[in-house]
Amino acid sequence: MKKILKYVIADIVQNKIVVIYTAILLIISFSVFNLENNAAKGIASLLNLVLLIVPLICIIFSTIYIYNSAEFIELLVSQPLKRKTLWLSLFGGLSISLSIAFLIGVGLPVLLYHGDSTGFMLIISGLFLTISFVSIAMLAAGLTRDKAKGIGFAIALWLFFALIFDALVLFLLFQFQDYPLENAMVVMSFFNPIDLSRIHILLEMDIRALMGYTGAVFQEFFGSTNGIIFSFAGLFLWIIVPLMFSLKTFKKKDL
Amino acid sequence: MIELKQISKKFGRLQVLKNISTRFEKGECIALLGPNGCGKTTMIKSILGMVIPDKGDILFNKVAIKKDWQYRSRIGYMPQIGRYPENMTIANLISMMKDIRKQEGIEPDEELVHAFGLDKMMNKKMRTLSGGTTQKVSAALAFMFQPDVLILDEPTAGLDPVSSLTLKEKIIKEKEKGKLILITSHILSELDDLVSKVVYMNEGNFLFEKPLQILREETGEEKLSRAIAKVMNQQKLSRARIAENQLT
């Protein structure tokens, strides 16, 4: 496993896209903190970066990388290696390099300017998002042989989680506004890793008052220690489940 | 050594392999022949675990390969069209393969690397290589780890005559060491002095499977190409005769 991982990471670093991604994150983070004289405002601006741009880059880069590794995969499948080892090495290589990029690009400035529990929560959530979107990308890339279809599917998934899901939730809220939906909302949020992270960070930022009565329910659920554990478990499932499904399809794939 | 038990494989609606069973033993050199698209490569890829059959079992040294993966350390495979990571140099690729396949007590065999002159272009990237040079890299890698089984899919396609001869000599050398060698090729004249057994496939079936000696005696032809042609004609005739009988 380690051997293959080494080659995957070396290849990704040579690719330079990840280096550019790191640099861009770093530039945006520093400029956001320098533009606002209040670091808390800076964190709020960074929130959108973490919740929208990071998943987008992670899912697209990972999907394209998997498709471009077709030769590498084909070569190694005929060698004395388990398919599982190969697939998990690709996942590991992508997760590690994109996580390091995120830690340098966002983690470092946040720790410098706003190194409290909110900043820390932002970094942890961003890391979970990075890895779960790599995992979702592996599923998207594993499902179809056609590169264009696969990338299209990955972008559609990002759109769904970043925008459409919230629209659906709002629609449901308005349709059923006569009913108590607070608990249902907590459950709904588990179906979207981006929502889960957003709620996490907003609660930690102490602006739950803006979220009204629902915010109080979230606070009750997510704020308590149990809530934190549950929601991180939710994010963790968003890493494991897509990865397991993609591994299952890869094991049966004809090359 | 390798045993196929009732292997079937479908790609979509196309039935590529139809209930194939056979055995390949150590020391044999088998020519796998047949028209394009008859399932030769699919069968080879099933043995390597690259294609997963819908039905049936493949045994390597009496162990089913479904759950096993270590058996592949005893196979050297030369694909029909070698596809390699484009950004790697030849040196990168060879050192990676050594890293993955290195075993205790086995010295990598670099004879072909030198014979093909690959050692002089180690820093070239795979993307920049010509088709023939890529074939040479494939061949060098297939023979490098002293495998017990060599699977060569169209080994000489795209090679110049000199390299082709070098490769042929290498195959004969390995055959004499008692290895199992599986070759597919359309250039039958090349196989004459290599092969000990002929397997002819058509549309996913084995049409016949005979030792070369018997094939020669039956057809009275010395050359493999002629012998195959004769068998094919006889079969066409007999099929025509059956059809005629049915009509009358």
Side-chain angles (χ1 to χ4, degrees):
Chain A
M1 174 107 187
K2 247 193 225 159
K3 281 181 195 167
I4 312 299
L5 196 59
K6 193 176 71 192
Y7 289 105
V8 174
I9 291 178
D11 187 46
I12 293 175
V13 171
Q14 263 183 12
N15 198 303
K16 292 190 189 99
I17 298 281
V18 174
V19 180
I20 296 168
Y21 169 60
T22 315
I24 290 176
L25 283 183
L26 203 61
I27 293 167
I28 295 177
S29 307
F30 272 114
S31 47
V32 160
F33 278 118
N34 284 324
L35 282 174
E36 312 269 3
N37 38 20
N38 180 355
K41 276 189 193 165
I43 285 272
S45 316
L46 266 188
L47 181 64
N48 285 321
L49 178 77
V50 171
L51 292 178
L52 297 175
I53 307 297
V54 167
L56 179 66
I57 304 285
C58 286
I59 199 168
I60 292 183
F61 177 76
S62 306
T63 313
I64 295 177
Y65 186 79
I66 298 288
Y67 279 110
N68 286 354
S69 305
E71 289 100 5
F72 183 74
I73 294 173
E74 204 178 300
L75 174 68
L76 292 189
V77 161
S78 66
Q79 302 304 322
L81 285 170
K82 274 193 211 172
R83 281 197 180 194
K84 191 177 169 183
T85 314
L86 179 56
W87 197 243
L88 292 183
S89 302
L90 282 169
F91 169 72
L94 282 166
S95 312
I96 291 172
S97 40
L98 288 171
S99 297
I100 292 175
F102 177 79
L103 278 178
I104 297 174
V106 176
L108 201 68
V110 166
L111 285 181
L112 281 178
Y113 286 90
H114 204 275
D116 62 358
S117 62
T118 314
F120 201 64
M121 191 59 95
L122 184 78
I123 296 169
I124 298 278
S125 303
L127 279 182
F128 267 100
L129 271 184
T130 299
I131 300 173
S132 58
F133 273 83
V134 171
S135 174
I136 293 168
M138 306 230 13
L139 185 60
L143 283 180
T144 164
R145 252 170 201 282
D146 188 335
K147 190 172 176 176
K149 257 190 215 163
I151 295 170
F153 185 47
I155 294 175
L157 278 174
W158 173 81
L159 262 180
F160 175 77
F161 288 128
L163 301 169
I164 299 170
F165 186 87
D166 286 349
L168 279 178
V169 169
L170 269 181
F171 176 74
L172 283 179
L173 271 181
F174 276 108
Q175 289 298 311
F176 298 98
Q177 53 187 331
D178 300 338
Y179 302 90
L181 277 175
E182 288 75 19
N183 288 329
M185 288 295 298
V186 174
V187 176
M188 292 268 298
S189 65
F190 275 89
F191 288 100
N192 185 348
I194 296 183
D195 263 11
L196 216 50
S197 315
R198 177 186 293 136
I199 293 165
H200 246 136
I201 301 165
L202 286 181
L203 287 176
E204 195 61 43
M205 280 172 77
D206 232 21
I207 46 176
R208 57 182 164 274
L210 292 177
M211 294 165 76
Y213 181 53
T214 319
V217 179
F218 280 129
Q219 167 69 6
E220 212 178 272
F221 186 80
F222 284 103
S224 57
T225 332
N226 274 345
I228 296 267
I229 292 169
F230 266 110
S231 53
F232 270 120
L235 278 174
F236 192 64
L237 280 181
W238 270 107
I239 296 173
I240 297 296
V241 175
L243 183 64
M244 284 301 137
F245 273 111
S246 70
L247 185 61
K248 222 175 149 188
T249 43
F250 180 65
K251 274 186 178 170
K252 285 188 200 145
K253 200 170 182 181
D254 296 321
L255 291 156
Chain B
M1 190 159 205
I2 298 177
E3 193 176 351
L4 278 73
K5 281 183 174 171
Q6 295 166 341
I7 298 295
S8 293
K9 178 71 192 175
K10 258 186 186 174
F11 285 134
R13 255 195 253 143
L14 188 72
Q15 182 96 34
V16 190
L17 296 178
K18 294 174 188 161
N19 216 12
I20 284 179
S21 301
T22 188
R23 274 179 94 117
F24 303 130
E25 293 299 340
K26 222 176 159 185
E28 283 183 320
C29 181
I30 294 145
L32 201 54
L33 308 176
N36 298 124
C38 68
K40 291 173 301 209
T41 300
T42 307
M43 192 183 98
I44 284 175
K45 284 188 167 181
S46 319
I47 294 175
L48 283 158
M50 295 172 80
V51 166
I52 295 156
D54 302 328
K55 276 185 219 140
D57 279 311
I58 297 173
L59 309 183
F60 190 92
N61 282 341
K62 300 196 173 76
V63 183
I65 64 164
K66 255 180 204 159
K67 300 274 167 194
D68 192 25
W69 49 275
Q70 268 148 334
Y71 76 98
R72 287 201 281 268
S73 65
R74 312 191 40 199
I75 300 181
Y77 169 54
M78 180 175 171
Q80 192 168 16
I81 304 158
R83 301 208 302 152
Y84 298 97
E86 293 187 337
N87 287 323
M88 278 189 162
T89 61
I90 300 181
N92 286 155
L93 183 69
I94 290 180
S95 76
M96 179 176 87
M97 296 303 271
K98 279 184 185 164
D99 196 11
I100 292 169
R101 293 195 61 154
K102 207 168 49 195
Q103 284 173 311
E104 288 289 317
I106 293 181
E107 260 317 291
D109 173 4
E110 299 202 2
E111 194 188 327
L112 281 182
V113 176
H114 301 295
F116 286 147
L118 292 174
D119 41 0
K120 285 171 213 121
M121 45 171 109
M122 278 296 190
N123 292 322
K124 276 196 180 172
K125 294 206 166 178
M126 294 309 291
R127 165 184 56 212
T128 64
L129 299 185
S130 72
T133 317
T134 312
Q135 275 301 85
K136 288 180 186 170
V137 174
S138 297
L141 286 175
F143 286 89
M144 192 168 281
F145 304 97
Q146 319 226 352
D148 300 332
V149 179
L150 281 161
I151 298 181
L152 312 168
D153 199 353
E154 302 274 352
T156 53
L159 286 186
D160 60 66
V162 181
S163 314
S164 174
L165 199 66
T166 315
L167 182 58
K168 208 170 146 187
E169 276 163 6
K170 181 71 179 166
I171 297 173
I172 293 174
K173 216 170 169 183
E174 295 300 308
K175 185 189 160 193
E176 276 159 9
K177 288 186 192 162
K179 295 180 175 180
L180 167 59
I181 298 172
L182 217 74
I183 305 182
T184 76
S185 181
H186 290 294
I187 310 167
L188 299 176
S189 57
E190 272 187 339
L191 299 170
D192 267 330
D193 37 346
L194 278 177
V195 171
S196 62
K197 189 172 154 189
V198 178
V199 174
Y200 195 96
M201 286 179 82
N202 195 14
E203 289 177 3
N205 285 313
F206 279 7
L207 237 48
F208 62 85
E209 190 181 353
K210 281 175 189 157
L212 185 60
Q213 202 51 44
I214 293 179
L215 191 69
R216 278 180 178 154
E217 282 164 14
E218 278 181 6
T219 54
E221 294 284 354
E222 196 53 32
K223 288 249 180 258
L224 180 60
S225 47
R226 294 234 174 140
I228 296 284
K230 209 160 180 179
V231 173
M232 298 326 307
N233 280 335
Q234 278 167 1
Q235 278 184 341
K236 251 186 227 159
L237 274 179
S238 64
R239 235 180 272 149
R241 231 170 266 149
I242 292 169
E244 239 169 65
N245 288 343
Q246 279 169 344
L247 282 175
T248 51

